[in-house]
Amino acid sequence: SQQGEEDPQALSIQEGENATMNCSYKTSINNLQWYRQNSGRGLVHLILIRSNEREKHSGRLRVTLDTSKKSSSLLITASRAADTASYFCATSRSYNTDKLIFGTGTRLQVFP
Amino acid sequence: KAGVTQTPRYLIKTRGQQVTLSCSPISGHRSVSWYQQTPGQGLQFLFEYFSETQRNKGNFPGRFSGRQFSNSRSEMNVSTLELGDSALYLCASSPGQGDGYTFGSGTRLTVV
């Protein structure tokens, strides 16, 4: 399967704690993106990191990319109950295609 | 600006029937791609259209087809429905250069 892998599959933490999710992929990429999905609804784009970038920040989100290991991590700092959702990484191989290969997802539960 | 609109939101069909789902992209976006999400297989790429041309296709049987109109709106059709086609179908629009994606809320198809 082309699908990427994410771990952990599920993560439960308390509000205020940090949450780290990892993503591994199989092929060379143009960029890697992280998405959030609430209860089987649409995907919300969180952050995009290009293959020539190593780290990116957006608010409480920090993404790292290691192309030599074909892996990425998403860190959510000071988590809130509203962060409870499933998180997916997705890779794009080229600038001239919109085909995304998604990871298996991490289900995050943040307890108040 | 208006988001990506998918219609209908929910659909119940009987095995053997056919179904058409619609996706209206963000104004100015020329690319629409479709994904199927199931608990067992996760998020799988179906196909993408750019300027009315199919640019890429996933590993789905020929019962799954799509098209894009001159106003960039897209439809996907599934013929001879099977129980396994029950899924959340998501479309995403983008300018067409491998980033800048926005997903719709999805159409939940149930085949009985």
Side-chain angles (χ1 to χ4, degrees):
Chain A
S1 166
Q2 290 182 295
Q3 202 169 30
E5 298 287 329
E6 288 183 60
D7 76 271
Q9 287 188 349
L11 182 60
S12 295
I13 59 175
Q14 296 290 131
E15 262 191 333
E17 294 181 336
N18 295 342
T20 300
M21 291 160 252
N22 303 295
C23 165
S24 61
Y25 56 92
K26 299 181 180 179
T27 64
S28 61
I29 62 171
N30 178 51
N31 65 63
L32 184 144
Q33 305 168 37
W34 285 90
Y35 289 86
R36 185 185 74 225
Q37 185 178 43
N38 290 86
S39 301
R41 303 294 296 277
L43 296 165
V44 175
H45 181 264
L46 296 175
I47 196 166
L48 179 151
I49 186 164
R50 301 191 186 281
S51 59
N52 60 353
E53 298 175 308
R54 292 296 168 258
E55 188 171 311
K56 205 159 182 182
H57 297 255
S58 177
R60 295 183 296 112
L61 305 180
R62 172 179 170 255
V63 169
T64 61
L65 178 65
D66 187 334
T67 54
S68 67
K69 295 181 179 178
K70 291 187 169 59
S71 67
S72 173
S73 67
L74 171 68
L75 168 67
I76 303 174
T77 60
S79 62
R80 306 165 182 168
D83 295 329
T84 295
S86 291
Y87 291 81
F88 295 90
C89 66
T91 55
S92 172
R93 292 197 64 181
S94 169
Y95 69 92
N96 61 2
T97 176
D98 280 347
K99 176 180 178 178
L100 292 175
I101 305 295
F102 281 88
T104 49
T106 293
R107 188 184 302 259
L108 174 66
Q109 175 88 51
V110 182
F111 292 98
Chain B
K1 60 183 178 181
V4 177
T5 303
Q6 287 189 249
T7 56
R9 289 294 307 279
Y10 301 93
L11 208 47
I12 300 176
K13 289 287 188 178
T14 304
R15 270 181 302 175
Q17 287 186 313
Q18 67 96 25
V19 67
T20 300
L21 312 182
S22 178
C23 174
S24 295
I26 287 174
S27 177
H29 281 187
R30 296 167 65 188
S31 172
V32 173
S33 48
W34 289 86
Y35 296 83
Q36 181 197 64
Q37 185 177 28
T38 60
Q41 298 299 315
L43 281 152
Q44 303 272 314
F45 170 78
L46 280 158
F47 27 65
E48 67 164 308
Y49 288 88
F50 180 80
S51 294
E52 302 179 67
T53 300
Q54 188 179 83
R55 191 159 67 168
N56 220 326
K57 190 177 190 303
N59 294 325
F60 280 82
R63 300 185 297 107
F64 291 81
S65 63
R67 58 179 176 169
Q68 186 180 33
F69 302 96
S70 58
N71 62 358
S72 292
R73 189 177 72 86
S74 176
E75 288 181 347
M76 67 162 282
N77 184 79
V78 188
S79 62
T80 320
L81 284 165
E82 301 177 358
L83 295 178
D85 297 333
S86 295
L88 179 67
Y89 290 87
L90 295 163
C91 82
S93 82
S94 86
Q97 295 177 341
D99 59 12
Y101 303 88
T102 301
F103 277 82
S105 297
T107 293
R108 186 164 295 281
L109 171 66
T110 302
V111 182
V112 297

